[in-house]
Amino acid sequence: MPPSRSPFLHAPRLLALSALAFAPITMAQALAPQLRLSEADIDRAGIAVTAALATLAGTEGNGARFAGTVIAAPASQRIASSELAGVVQTLHVSSLQQVQAGAPLVTLFSQPYLALQGQYVHSATQARLAADKLARDESLFGDGIIARARLDESRAAARLAALTAAEHSQALRRAGLSSRQVGALAQAGSLSPLLVVRAPAAGTVLELPVQPGQQVDAGAIIARLGQAAPLWVELQAARAQPHLKVGDRLQVANCSMLRVIAISPIVNSASQALQVRAEQLDRDPCLKINAYVEASLLAPERRAGSVAVPEAALVRQGSAQFLFVRAPGGFRVVPVQASAAGGGMVWVHGAVEAGDAVASKGLVALKGAWSGLGKPAVAAPGAAGAR
């Protein structure tokens, strides 16, 4: 009897077939090989083709709509606050009023402000006296009348007095006085407990959370100002809607155009919606803070020479994208660059023209033939006439 063959003798062949089944597409195969298929093979595999289109109806968008609320960008808001505590005496503005930079907002009666002015006048006087004494001692030291140690003491005292005066001067400027007003205070010495809080920049008074007679602490918010700046829209995107990415553009009906600037990586647990933030691209006043709006996704800019094909027709191999384009005797594999067109379509740029028949169904058989599995095999470039 012939010796029985061990099943392990077939292991190398099985391993080779397994490696072939999972072998990646080679660079030579990706150059634009010709897949030789007969009409019977195409019918059996259920391969269907779709014509590439030069234009798409409704290219202004894909019909996807997203709802959201208009909010102010953080950079467009400014806060006016008081450096010192006091009691509100007068309101110079009201909410929604336009103000210029430096305009008075509120006047406070502030005892700490009065005390700070007194400290500054005292320190400025001491700094002036110390400077005069230093000038005299330098003259006396030059004549050899006083010792060097006395001159050094005068210099140190003048420096400390100047630093104290500068510290009080900076505190007054932070409180709202200008350099000219601080200088006039040092000369005249007239003190006042009335502290005027001014607008740090031009804008609209969005909020004025104080009333006459109200006690406010140091650093308390006196007013919120909104500056002229692009607004934001916080949108909610459901999982069933098209995938948005940063840079996509949306159009608010009869209003502004938006650009997606951020997408949350976290889904809301209650609504299962994804938060998307879009920025207004113009200064159209049609958008109002806290307004509810709807925006439509705009199709991305189309590259010159691109044609539209179904998204299902794209074949991805790593980071590269390909199409199976109908050719005499089968299909050719064409590398392309794709971008979204909306409505299940994509714009592709490559060796594909409008009217070319592109495989959109039955791609499994074509992928197998492209990888060298089963029949028919991939014909090498230049072997179109081989049988």
Side-chain angles (χ1 to χ4, degrees), residues 73-105:
S76 67
Q77 297 188 43
R78 297 292 298 272
I79 299 297
S81 61
S82 174
E83 287 288 328
L84 302 169
V87 178
V88 177
Q89 294 290 303
T90 308
L91 299 180
H92 300 286
V93 296
S94 58
S95 60
L96 304 183
Q97 181 177 334
Q98 296 280 342
V99 295
Q100 298 299 320
L105 301 175

mmCIF file of all heavy atoms in Angstrom, residues 73-105:
data_model
loop_
_atom_site.group_PDB
_atom_site.id
_atom_site.type_symbol
_atom_site.label_atom_id
_atom_site.label_comp_id
_atom_site.label_asym_id
_atom_site.label_seq_id
_atom_site.Cartn_x
_atom_site.Cartn_y
_atom_site.Cartn_z
ATOM 1 N N ALA A 73 -18.787 85.342 21.088
ATOM 2 C CA ALA A 73 -17.462 84.762 21.266
ATOM 3 C C ALA A 73 -16.809 85.351 22.511
ATOM 4 O O ALA A 73 -16.958 86.548 22.782
ATOM 5 C CB ALA A 73 -16.605 85.040 20.035
ATOM 6 N N PRO A 74 -16.096 84.539 23.298
ATOM 7 C CA PRO A 74 -15.480 85.068 24.526
ATOM 8 C C PRO A 74 -14.573 86.265 24.269
ATOM 9 O O PRO A 74 -14.515 87.191 25.079
ATOM 10 C CB PRO A 74 -14.689 83.863 25.063
ATOM 11 C CG PRO A 74 -15.402 82.671 24.514
ATOM 12 C CD PRO A 74 -15.902 83.085 23.162
ATOM 13 N N ALA A 75 -13.870 86.269 23.146
ATOM 14 C CA ALA A 75 -12.953 87.370 22.856
ATOM 15 C C ALA A 75 -13.688 88.671 22.575
ATOM 16 O O ALA A 75 -13.080 89.741 22.594
ATOM 17 C CB ALA A 75 -12.059 87.009 21.669
ATOM 18 N N SER A 76 -14.995 88.614 22.300
ATOM 19 C CA SER A 76 -15.750 89.822 21.978
ATOM 20 C C SER A 76 -16.356 90.479 23.219
ATOM 21 O O SER A 76 -16.993 91.522 23.103
ATOM 22 C CB SER A 76 -16.879 89.484 20.998
ATOM 23 O OG SER A 76 -17.854 88.662 21.610
ATOM 24 N N GLN A 77 -16.163 89.889 24.385
ATOM 25 C CA GLN A 77 -16.746 90.434 25.611
ATOM 26 C C GLN A 77 -15.662 91.060 26.478
ATOM 27 O O GLN A 77 -14.573 90.501 26.641
ATOM 28 C CB GLN A 77 -17.472 89.346 26.400
ATOM 29 C CG GLN A 77 -18.651 88.738 25.666
ATOM 30 C CD GLN A 77 -19.455 87.811 26.565
ATOM 31 O OE1 GLN A 77 -19.731 88.113 27.715
ATOM 32 N NE2 GLN A 77 -19.836 86.665 26.029
ATOM 33 N N ARG A 78 -15.963 92.217 27.028
ATOM 34 C CA ARG A 78 -15.066 92.912 27.945
ATOM 35 C C ARG A 78 -15.804 93.182 29.251
ATOM 36 O O ARG A 78 -17.018 93.388 29.255
ATOM 37 C CB ARG A 78 -14.577 94.232 27.337
ATOM 38 C CG ARG A 78 -13.745 94.065 26.068
ATOM 39 C CD ARG A 78 -12.406 93.399 26.358
ATOM 40 N NE ARG A 78 -11.590 94.213 27.259
ATOM 41 C CZ ARG A 78 -10.756 95.171 26.846
ATOM 42 N NH1 ARG A 78 -10.669 95.457 25.546
ATOM 43 N NH2 ARG A 78 -10.034 95.852 27.708
ATOM 44 N N ILE A 79 -15.051 93.206 30.321
ATOM 45 C CA ILE A 79 -15.613 93.428 31.656
ATOM 46 C C ILE A 79 -15.091 94.758 32.192
ATOM 47 O O ILE A 79 -13.897 95.043 32.131
ATOM 48 C CB ILE A 79 -15.228 92.289 32.620
ATOM 49 C CG1 ILE A 79 -15.779 90.950 32.108
ATOM 50 C CG2 ILE A 79 -15.746 92.573 34.018
ATOM 51 C CD1 ILE A 79 -17.270 90.895 32.034
ATOM 52 N N ALA A 80 -15.999 95.576 32.723
ATOM 53 C CA ALA A 80 -15.616 96.787 33.455
ATOM 54 C C ALA A 80 -15.806 96.514 34.929
ATOM 55 O O ALA A 80 -16.899 96.121 35.365
ATOM 56 C CB ALA A 80 -16.463 97.972 33.007
ATOM 57 N N SER A 81 -14.759 96.695 35.713
ATOM 58 C CA SER A 81 -14.831 96.436 37.156
ATOM 59 C C SER A 81 -14.152 97.567 37.906
ATOM 60 O O SER A 81 -13.404 98.354 37.332
ATOM 61 C CB SER A 81 -14.174 95.100 37.501
ATOM 62 O OG SER A 81 -12.804 95.115 37.134
ATOM 63 N N SER A 82 -14.418 97.623 39.197
ATOM 64 C CA SER A 82 -13.830 98.647 40.053
ATOM 65 C C SER A 82 -12.662 98.063 40.824
ATOM 66 O O SER A 82 -12.760 96.972 41.393
ATOM 67 C CB SER A 82 -14.872 99.199 41.025
ATOM 68 O OG SER A 82 -14.281 100.088 41.949
ATOM 69 N N GLU A 83 -11.547 98.782 40.831
ATOM 70 C CA GLU A 83 -10.386 98.326 41.593
ATOM 71 C C GLU A 83 -10.590 98.491 43.097
ATOM 72 O O GLU A 83 -9.923 97.832 43.885
ATOM 73 C CB GLU A 83 -9.149 99.122 41.156
ATOM 74 C CG GLU A 83 -8.617 98.760 39.789
ATOM 75 C CD GLU A 83 -7.936 97.403 39.777
ATOM 76 O OE1 GLU A 83 -7.356 97.026 40.811
ATOM 77 O OE2 GLU A 83 -7.990 96.728 38.735
ATOM 78 N N LEU A 84 -11.519 99.379 43.464
ATOM 79 C CA LEU A 84 -11.728 99.684 44.872
ATOM 80 C C LEU A 84 -13.202 99.535 45.228
ATOM 81 O O LEU A 84 -14.074 99.657 44.368
ATOM 82 C CB LEU A 84 -11.256 101.114 45.179
ATOM 83 C CG LEU A 84 -9.785 101.407 44.851
ATOM 84 C CD1 LEU A 84 -9.516 102.898 44.939
ATOM 85 C CD2 LEU A 84 -8.858 100.640 45.777
ATOM 86 N N ALA A 85 -13.470 99.269 46.497
ATOM 87 C CA ALA A 85 -14.846 99.136 46.978
ATOM 88 C C ALA A 85 -15.499 100.508 47.079
ATOM 89 O O ALA A 85 -14.832 101.539 47.185
ATOM 90 C CB ALA A 85 -14.860 98.434 48.327
ATOM 91 N N GLY A 86 -16.840 100.511 47.024
ATOM 92 C CA GLY A 86 -17.563 101.766 47.135
ATOM 93 C C GLY A 86 -19.054 101.552 47.022
ATOM 94 O O GLY A 86 -19.533 100.414 46.889
ATOM 95 N N VAL A 87 -19.784 102.645 47.074
ATOM 96 C CA VAL A 87 -21.239 102.638 46.945
ATOM 97 C C VAL A 87 -21.615 103.333 45.646
ATOM 98 O O VAL A 87 -21.082 104.406 45.331
ATOM 99 C CB VAL A 87 -21.907 103.357 48.140
ATOM 100 C CG1 VAL A 87 -23.420 103.384 47.967
ATOM 101 C CG2 VAL A 87 -21.532 102.685 49.443
ATOM 102 N N VAL A 88 -22.501 102.713 44.874
ATOM 103 C CA VAL A 88 -22.903 103.267 43.587
ATOM 104 C C VAL A 88 -23.666 104.574 43.816
ATOM 105 O O VAL A 88 -24.677 104.607 44.533
ATOM 106 C CB VAL A 88 -23.783 102.260 42.808
ATOM 107 C CG1 VAL A 88 -24.248 102.878 41.494
ATOM 108 C CG2 VAL A 88 -23.030 100.964 42.577
ATOM 109 N N GLN A 89 -23.177 105.657 43.202
ATOM 110 C CA GLN A 89 -23.812 106.962 43.298
ATOM 111 C C GLN A 89 -24.640 107.284 42.057
ATOM 112 O O GLN A 89 -25.779 107.717 42.155
ATOM 113 C CB GLN A 89 -22.748 108.055 43.488
ATOM 114 C CG GLN A 89 -22.000 107.974 44.800
ATOM 115 C CD GLN A 89 -22.884 108.337 45.979
ATOM 116 O OE1 GLN A 89 -23.458 109.424 46.040
ATOM 117 N NE2 GLN A 89 -22.998 107.411 46.930
ATOM 118 N N THR A 90 -24.031 107.059 40.851
ATOM 119 C CA THR A 90 -24.689 107.452 39.603
ATOM 120 C C THR A 90 -24.428 106.412 38.524
ATOM 121 O O THR A 90 -23.300 105.917 38.390
ATOM 122 C CB THR A 90 -24.178 108.822 39.113
ATOM 123 O OG1 THR A 90 -24.276 109.771 40.173
ATOM 124 C CG2 THR A 90 -24.967 109.298 37.905
ATOM 125 N N LEU A 91 -25.473 106.084 37.750
ATOM 126 C CA LEU A 91 -25.328 105.263 36.544
ATOM 127 C C LEU A 91 -25.349 106.203 35.340
ATOM 128 O O LEU A 91 -26.317 106.929 35.137
ATOM 129 C CB LEU A 91 -26.470 104.246 36.441
ATOM 130 C CG LEU A 91 -26.596 103.230 37.579
ATOM 131 C CD1 LEU A 91 -27.771 102.297 37.311
ATOM 132 C CD2 LEU A 91 -25.317 102.426 37.745
ATOM 133 N N HIS A 92 -24.291 106.177 34.559
ATOM 134 C CA HIS A 92 -24.187 107.069 33.411
ATOM 135 C C HIS A 92 -24.709 106.431 32.120
ATOM 136 O O HIS A 92 -24.888 107.136 31.120
ATOM 137 C CB HIS A 92 -22.730 107.502 33.202
ATOM 138 C CG HIS A 92 -22.150 108.236 34.371
ATOM 139 N ND1 HIS A 92 -22.474 109.537 34.690
ATOM 140 C CD2 HIS A 92 -21.277 107.822 35.337
ATOM 141 C CE1 HIS A 92 -21.819 109.920 35.766
ATOM 142 N NE2 HIS A 92 -21.079 108.889 36.182
ATOM 143 N N VAL A 93 -24.928 105.127 32.117
ATOM 144 C CA VAL A 93 -25.368 104.425 30.912
ATOM 145 C C VAL A 93 -26.467 103.452 31.296
ATOM 146 O O VAL A 93 -26.751 103.228 32.485
ATOM 147 C CB VAL A 93 -24.204 103.662 30.232
ATOM 148 C CG1 VAL A 93 -23.133 104.616 29.741
ATOM 149 C CG2 VAL A 93 -23.608 102.631 31.200
ATOM 150 N N SER A 94 -27.080 102.870 30.286
ATOM 151 C CA SER A 94 -28.093 101.828 30.487
ATOM 152 C C SER A 94 -27.747 100.645 29.590
ATOM 153 O O SER A 94 -26.907 100.758 28.682
ATOM 154 C CB SER A 94 -29.491 102.356 30.163
ATOM 155 O OG SER A 94 -29.548 102.824 28.823
ATOM 156 N N SER A 95 -28.376 99.522 29.833
ATOM 157 C CA SER A 95 -28.097 98.339 29.019
ATOM 158 C C SER A 95 -28.479 98.578 27.566
ATOM 159 O O SER A 95 -29.393 99.350 27.256
ATOM 160 C CB SER A 95 -28.855 97.134 29.573
ATOM 161 O OG SER A 95 -30.240 97.383 29.553
ATOM 162 N N LEU A 96 -27.742 97.935 26.678
ATOM 163 C CA LEU A 96 -27.905 98.014 25.230
ATOM 164 C C LEU A 96 -27.465 99.366 24.653
ATOM 165 O O LEU A 96 -27.669 99.622 23.472
ATOM 166 C CB LEU A 96 -29.351 97.731 24.795
ATOM 167 C CG LEU A 96 -29.941 96.397 25.246
ATOM 168 C CD1 LEU A 96 -31.343 96.217 24.683
ATOM 169 C CD2 LEU A 96 -29.046 95.246 24.830
ATOM 170 N N GLN A 97 -26.833 100.185 25.463
ATOM 171 C CA GLN A 97 -26.355 101.482 24.982
ATOM 172 C C GLN A 97 -24.960 101.338 24.403
ATOM 173 O O GLN A 97 -24.115 100.612 24.929
ATOM 174 C CB GLN A 97 -26.341 102.496 26.130
ATOM 175 C CG GLN A 97 -25.871 103.901 25.725
ATOM 176 C CD GLN A 97 -25.940 104.876 26.879
ATOM 177 O OE1 GLN A 97 -26.741 104.705 27.799
ATOM 178 N NE2 GLN A 97 -25.106 105.906 26.839
ATOM 179 N N GLN A 98 -24.721 102.024 23.279
ATOM 180 C CA GLN A 98 -23.398 102.050 22.663
ATOM 181 C C GLN A 98 -22.508 103.044 23.410
ATOM 182 O O GLN A 98 -22.927 104.165 23.699
ATOM 183 C CB GLN A 98 -23.496 102.462 21.196
ATOM 184 C CG GLN A 98 -24.266 101.491 20.319
ATOM 185 C CD GLN A 98 -23.421 100.304 19.903
ATOM 186 O OE1 GLN A 98 -22.202 100.342 19.982
ATOM 187 N NE2 GLN A 98 -24.071 99.244 19.451
ATOM 188 N N VAL A 99 -21.284 102.637 23.724
ATOM 189 C CA VAL A 99 -20.359 103.510 24.438
ATOM 190 C C VAL A 99 -19.004 103.483 23.728
ATOM 191 O O VAL A 99 -18.666 102.514 23.027
ATOM 192 C CB VAL A 99 -20.187 103.077 25.904
ATOM 193 C CG1 VAL A 99 -21.489 103.232 26.669
ATOM 194 C CG2 VAL A 99 -19.678 101.644 25.997
ATOM 195 N N GLN A 100 -18.237 104.552 23.925
ATOM 196 C CA GLN A 100 -16.887 104.648 23.399
ATOM 197 C C GLN A 100 -15.883 104.294 24.486
ATOM 198 O O GLN A 100 -16.207 104.301 25.688
ATOM 199 C CB GLN A 100 -16.617 106.063 22.872
ATOM 200 C CG GLN A 100 -17.502 106.480 21.731
ATOM 201 C CD GLN A 100 -17.346 105.592 20.506
ATOM 202 O OE1 GLN A 100 -16.227 105.191 20.163
ATOM 203 N NE2 GLN A 100 -18.451 105.285 19.840
ATOM 204 N N ALA A 101 -14.666 103.974 24.074
ATOM 205 C CA ALA A 101 -13.620 103.667 25.046
ATOM 206 C C ALA A 101 -13.390 104.875 25.944
ATOM 207 O O ALA A 101 -13.239 106.001 25.472
ATOM 208 C CB ALA A 101 -12.336 103.281 24.323
ATOM 209 N N GLY A 102 -13.364 104.647 27.249
ATOM 210 C CA GLY A 102 -13.150 105.716 28.212
ATOM 211 C C GLY A 102 -14.409 106.424 28.659
ATOM 212 O O GLY A 102 -14.344 107.322 29.523
ATOM 213 N N ALA A 103 -15.554 106.054 28.113
ATOM 214 C CA ALA A 103 -16.809 106.702 28.517
ATOM 215 C C ALA A 103 -17.152 106.319 29.956
ATOM 216 O O ALA A 103 -16.970 105.164 30.362
ATOM 217 C CB ALA A 103 -17.934 106.296 27.581
ATOM 218 N N PRO A 104 -17.670 107.263 30.765
ATOM 219 C CA PRO A 104 -18.037 106.936 32.151
ATOM 220 C C PRO A 104 -19.231 105.993 32.198
ATOM 221 O O PRO A 104 -20.225 106.181 31.484
ATOM 222 C CB PRO A 104 -18.364 108.302 32.760
ATOM 223 C CG PRO A 104 -18.729 109.166 31.598
ATOM 224 C CD PRO A 104 -17.900 108.676 30.445
ATOM 225 N N LEU A 105 -19.139 104.983 33.029
ATOM 226 C CA LEU A 105 -20.215 104.016 33.197
ATOM 227 C C LEU A 105 -20.937 104.218 34.527
ATOM 228 O O LEU A 105 -22.165 104.323 34.571
ATOM 229 C CB LEU A 105 -19.665 102.584 33.117
ATOM 230 C CG LEU A 105 -18.944 102.188 31.827
ATOM 231 C CD1 LEU A 105 -18.368 100.791 31.963
ATOM 232 C CD2 LEU A 105 -19.871 102.272 30.634
#
